[in-house]
Amino acid sequence: MILYVGNLPVHISKDEVKKLFEGYKVSGSPSLKNKKGSALTFVTIEDSSQAQKAINELNNKLVWKQRIVVNQYKRKEAPDPAAKKQNIPSKNINKNIGGEHFPYTFSARDCQKKNTDKLNILHHQLDNGKIDVAFEITWETLTPTAANPCTNETQDDTCPRNDNKKYTGYNNRWLMINKHLAISPFTVKSAIANGFANILGGCIRVPTKSEEHPKNVEQGHYYYNGKYKRYRVAMDNSKPAIIASMDDIKDGFRDIEIQPVIEYYYDRPAAPNGITLKSGMDYYTEVTTDNRKRFILNLSDTPVDRWEKLTYFGPYQFGMNLSLKAGQLNKRHHHRFYKKTGFPMKERVPAIYFMDKDEMAQKVYMGDFERRNDKVDPRGYLRHEYWYDDLMNYSRDKTRRPLCKGDWVYFQSCTDPKNSKKKLIHIGRNFQFKAVFLHQDAVPENQQACDDINLLCDRCAMFGMVDKNASAGGYKGRFRASTLISEQTYGKTDKLKAIIPYIEGKNIQEKTVDIMGWKSSDNEKEVIAKQYLMPLQGSPKPNKRDVGSYFNKTSGMVTGVKKYRHASKKVKTLQMLETFIEIVNREREKYAHQLRRYAQVAAEGIKFSGTVGAENSRVDEIAALIILLDHRVAQHGFKIGLNKSLGLGSIISSVNKIWIRKKNDYDKWISLSISEKDTKDELILKLKDHIPGIDQELQNFKKVDAAINQAIEVEMGLRSSKYPEPHHREYWKRFRDSNEKLSDGVKKSYAG
């Protein structure tokens, strides 16, 4: 039998592996391979009983503070060639999309705002041609689901404490009503509203409240949830320029015109004999290029054949607030020259760029300064300071004055979607400066969040919005939802033992803690919910405008809304989830435990029932709701709750009964019963008799089937999802590659 031995310490030797397997009659000598910070090998043991004994005794054994993996190695089966011929997905379908795909994508959303005078969105009467409609629905969990995160104040958190005596996670519970699990009306409405906007269209809502820099920054936390975003500009997007003009405008804004330039370095302390370097003067230079940088080998103050004419800017300075100079941090550049390139750009730069650091910190997370190398970096005085680029007290010449004409800056540009011209969007003094922007400014103009009750998108016209100008506060919408209650009830609750890893100082420790389990009142052997310390998959926040993800890399604008894909391959059941968490705990030596959440996870196959309805509805609105509320129509499924990226929270919806009311017979509700055995066509036929045109509207929405066709693949369990390591340099490249392969090779499957 061949055994796979994984998660070995990276520095372990062959002799130490041999010693580990002494007494198990190993054949041959193991060869070690390094992979992702650990080592692995394969061991052959001819005697199957000895091989099984080795698995039983060594699997999960601690070796140098790492729990190793020992199990039987099984060769992967080749794809079935017949499956390809018959156009049937093979078991290796994930190869078509690059293995485990990303858990989410960003999808563009149509948004056409309409004058509410034409919408007739009334509450007090049923309008001509409109219909009141209500649905009795059942939602069923296809995968384990952790919904409605709410803290149970009567139950202490069971999270292990870290060295600061603080809990390392958050304790989340389901909503419970009389021993039933329940999905709140807010969750129901939110899930349906997102799906509705994906079909009919809707505005894009982003955070509108400032979140100041926290007083105590905790390592591993991300503070990017406010209305302002801040990020370090990527090296390939940071371009040099000279300020051509800068004018003060009302409210702290400034109109800045820049002249893009090409940067050249001169790495000698002084010019050749007889030459004096003066800012703004032209010189003739012999130039070479090395790794995209341009270096000056020699220079003259008189013309030399084939030498480039360049302008001298001044001594080389770099680092935050240009606090470093030539020779520091092993930089060899001494002087900076330039040559103009392209056309000038003029743009109004937001006031936040010119705030002092304390004022800026009230609006956005600043990031902390970190020295590059404690031994050679002289900026110890900046330790624990904000990472801040001071544009108002520019000190290139050791004088404190605002940034002005003639100063050297770096900038990031984008292509204006209106005219396809380059547009300045961010500016700073250091090569890798930090850009800051208002999230709302990056939303395309035609997709800005509705804030005027007189002009609404289809989503806001149905589900409501806040009117910043109205004294009443806004419009509550025409959609209503009840709480969805589980058919099953829980009886006995047990305290179960679990081994939880946690951080103490710089070390990973383990602790046995009590977790909760909820058993069915009908069958004590059936667990309907259980508590887990959920793993993280380490997704970075999509706050960067220059990597091509949530923000378009070319235009800098929001590309669309985040949609999670269904992926149940790894976590179809609670037992599979438990196994997955154990593997993650074992394989991840360094883990941001302080960000993990204790969650009450409901089992797969639990059904929830309740009622939703909409008043004064158009036929196309009813068609969109039917697509969302009955999976038979377009195989739609919802994603709700925590850890959607792991595959949790996949829900399908079914309609059991429909009530219809029309204006010409206002006092009468027409009731339609829908059977589980009814096909899609039978369901539509029942509706067609009472809602003229519903079949045509459903046919019109057929074009969105590819965007909402999800439940079938969830039930088949064809896919699993995985993030790359959170700090992997190719994170967003893999994101784009994964989505492109999905588009080309496999039918898309995702949910709002």
Side-chain angles (χ1 to χ4, degrees), residues 208-332:
T208 56
K209 183 180 179 181
S210 294
E211 289 197 10
E212 65 180 19
H213 186 97
K215 293 180 180 178
N216 297 308
V217 176
E218 296 185 52
Q219 187 175 4
H221 282 255
Y222 296 93
Y223 304 95
Y224 298 116
N225 295 322
K227 69 176 184 178
Y228 284 101
K229 301 288 185 184
R230 196 164 185 257
Y231 67 96
R232 190 185 300 277
V233 174
M235 289 189 288
D236 60 338
N237 286 303
S238 181
K239 308 297 183 184
I242 303 292
I243 293 183
S245 67
M246 188 167 84
D247 302 316
D248 290 354
I249 306 297
K250 186 180 177 182
D251 297 329
F253 287 75
R254 284 167 172 78
D255 281 346
I256 296 182
E257 183 178 21
I258 62 168
Q259 171 59 60
V261 299
I262 299 173
E263 187 172 13
Y264 296 79
Y265 304 105
Y266 187 56
D267 290 351
R268 298 176 185 175
N273 292 336
I275 297 177
T276 302
L277 295 177
K278 293 182 180 180
S279 294
M281 294 289 292
D282 292 336
Y283 297 86
Y284 297 88
T285 61
E286 182 184 6
V287 174
T288 186
T289 302
D290 182 13
N291 195 24
R292 297 186 181 180
K293 283 188 173 183
R294 295 170 176 83
F295 297 95
I296 296 172
L297 301 176
N298 209 343
L299 61 85
S300 170
D301 53 5
T302 57
V304 178
D305 189 31
R306 296 185 181 180
W307 282 20
E308 286 193 55
K309 183 180 178 181
L310 303 178
T311 304
Y312 178 62
F313 177 77
Y316 179 75
Q317 292 175 291
F318 66 103
M320 188 177 83
N321 279 329
L322 305 186
S323 52
L324 298 172
K325 57 186 179 181
Q328 294 179 318
L329 285 188
N330 299 318
K331 287 281 188 178
R332 52 182 179 154

Side-chain angles (χ1 to χ4, degrees), residues 546-658:
D546 54 7
V547 294
S549 55
Y550 174 57
F551 297 101
N552 183 286
K553 188 174 182 178
T554 303
S555 69
M557 305 301 282
V558 169
T559 56
V561 293
K562 191 174 189 178
K563 292 182 180 179
Y564 282 97
R565 293 191 176 93
H566 291 289
S568 62
K569 194 172 184 180
K570 286 184 178 176
V571 289
K572 290 182 181 178
T573 65
L574 287 179
Q575 183 59 50
M576 291 177 73
L577 173 63
E578 197 161 320
T579 301
F580 177 75
I581 293 172
E582 288 175 359
I583 292 171
V584 173
N585 287 342
R586 185 169 64 232
E587 291 182 349
R588 295 195 176 180
E589 180 181 349
K590 295 181 180 179
Y591 207 116
H593 294 275
Q594 69 273 22
L595 293 178
R596 300 174 73 179
R597 292 178 180 270
Y598 268 99
Q600 180 187 18
V601 183
E604 69 290 347
I606 295 181
K607 295 182 178 180
F608 301 80
S609 297
T611 306
V612 299
E615 56 186 356
N616 259 323
S617 302
R618 305 190 310 263
V619 176
D620 63 332
E621 291 176 326
I622 297 172
L625 290 174
I626 289 169
I627 284 173
L628 297 170
L629 297 177
D630 200 298
H631 70 279
R632 286 169 287 192
V633 177
Q635 291 78 51
H636 176 268
F638 294 105
K639 291 281 281 186
I640 66 171
L642 303 174
N643 290 89
K644 293 187 282 288
S645 58
L646 297 179
L648 269 62
S650 290
I651 301 278
I652 56 168
S653 177
S654 302
V655 174
N656 309 317
K657 186 176 279 190
I658 304 174

Side-chain angles (χ1 to χ4, degrees), residues 41 51 112-113 127 132 189 214-215 237 286 352 357 407 416 420 449 464 482 502 520 586 688 701 735:
T41 189
Q112 295 181 4
K113 296 183 182 180
D127 196 52
D132 289 341
K189 181 178 178 180
K215 293 180 180 178
N237 286 303
E286 182 184 6
I352 192 169
K357 62 181 179 181
D407 287 332
D416 192 332
S420 299
S482 73
Y502 69 102
S520 170
R586 185 169 64 232
K688 183 180 176 182
F701 287 140
F735 168 88

Side-chain angles (χ1 to χ4, degrees), residues 252-442:
F253 287 75
R254 284 167 172 78
D255 281 346
I256 296 182
E257 183 178 21
I258 62 168
Q259 171 59 60
V261 299
I262 299 173
E263 187 172 13
Y264 296 79
Y265 304 105
Y266 187 56
D267 290 351
R268 298 176 185 175
N273 292 336
I275 297 177
T276 302
L277 295 177
K278 293 182 180 180
S279 294
M281 294 289 292
D282 292 336
Y283 297 86
Y284 297 88
T285 61
E286 182 184 6
V287 174
T288 186
T289 302
D290 182 13
N291 195 24
R292 297 186 181 180
K293 283 188 173 183
R294 295 170 176 83
F295 297 95
I296 296 172
L297 301 176
N298 209 343
L299 61 85
S300 170
D301 53 5
T302 57
V304 178
D305 189 31
R306 296 185 181 180
W307 282 20
E308 286 193 55
K309 183 180 178 181
L310 303 178
T311 304
Y312 178 62
F313 177 77
Y316 179 75
Q317 292 175 291
F318 66 103
M320 188 177 83
N321 279 329
L322 305 186
S323 52
L324 298 172
K325 57 186 179 181
Q328 294 179 318
L329 285 188
N330 299 318
K331 287 281 188 178
R332 52 182 179 154
H333 312 319
H334 284 267
H335 299 276
R336 179 179 271 139
F337 288 72
Y338 68 91
K339 178 172 64 176
K340 293 180 181 180
T341 183
F343 296 100
M345 300 181 192
K346 188 171 184 178
E347 201 64 40
R348 185 156 295 175
V349 178
I352 192 169
Y353 271 97
F354 306 99
M355 293 178 180
D356 64 45
K357 62 181 179 181
D358 293 323
E359 188 179 5
M360 187 183 290
Q362 293 176 8
K363 298 181 178 296
V364 67
Y365 171 60
M366 302 289 285
D368 288 341
F369 172 80
E370 292 182 10
R371 291 203 290 179
R372 296 286 299 275
N373 185 317
D374 286 348
K375 293 182 179 180
V376 299
D377 193 332
R379 297 172 292 176
Y381 61 93
L382 291 175
R383 188 184 296 273
H384 305 306
E385 288 284 332
Y386 298 143
W387 206 110
Y388 172 68
D389 207 8
D390 190 353
L391 300 185
M392 286 305 293
N393 286 310
Y394 188 75
S395 54
R396 191 183 85 214
D397 303 320
K398 297 184 178 180
T399 59
R400 300 190 66 77
R401 59 171 178 77
L403 199 65
C404 64
K405 179 179 179 179
D407 287 332
W408 186 279
V409 291
Y410 290 92
F411 71 97
Q412 181 185 350
S413 65
C414 71
T415 301
D416 192 332
K418 294 179 181 178
N419 53 27
S420 299
K421 293 182 178 180
K422 286 290 185 181
K423 175 183 176 182
L424 168 70
I425 56 171
H426 300 306
I427 192 168
R429 289 195 287 149
N430 185 42
F431 174 53
Q432 283 192 276
F433 67 94
K434 286 208 172 184
V436 60
F437 65 100
L438 190 64
H439 194 168
Q440 190 171 349
D441 288 346

Side-chain angles (χ1 to χ4, degrees), residues 534-549:
M534 301 302 295
L536 293 175
Q537 285 198 299
S539 62
K541 300 297 178 183
N543 66 310
K544 290 176 173 286
R545 296 182 80 176
D546 54 7
V547 294
S549 55

Side-chain angles (χ1 to χ4, degrees), residues 70-99:
V70 182
N71 53 40
Q72 183 178 357
Y73 172 67
K74 294 182 180 179
R75 291 182 173 87
K76 294 182 179 178
E77 296 181 5
D80 182 2
K84 186 175 181 181
K85 290 180 181 178
Q86 299 173 28
N87 200 25
I88 299 173
S90 73
K91 291 184 179 180
N92 292 314
I93 190 169
N94 279 320
K95 287 190 175 182
N96 295 330
I97 54 173

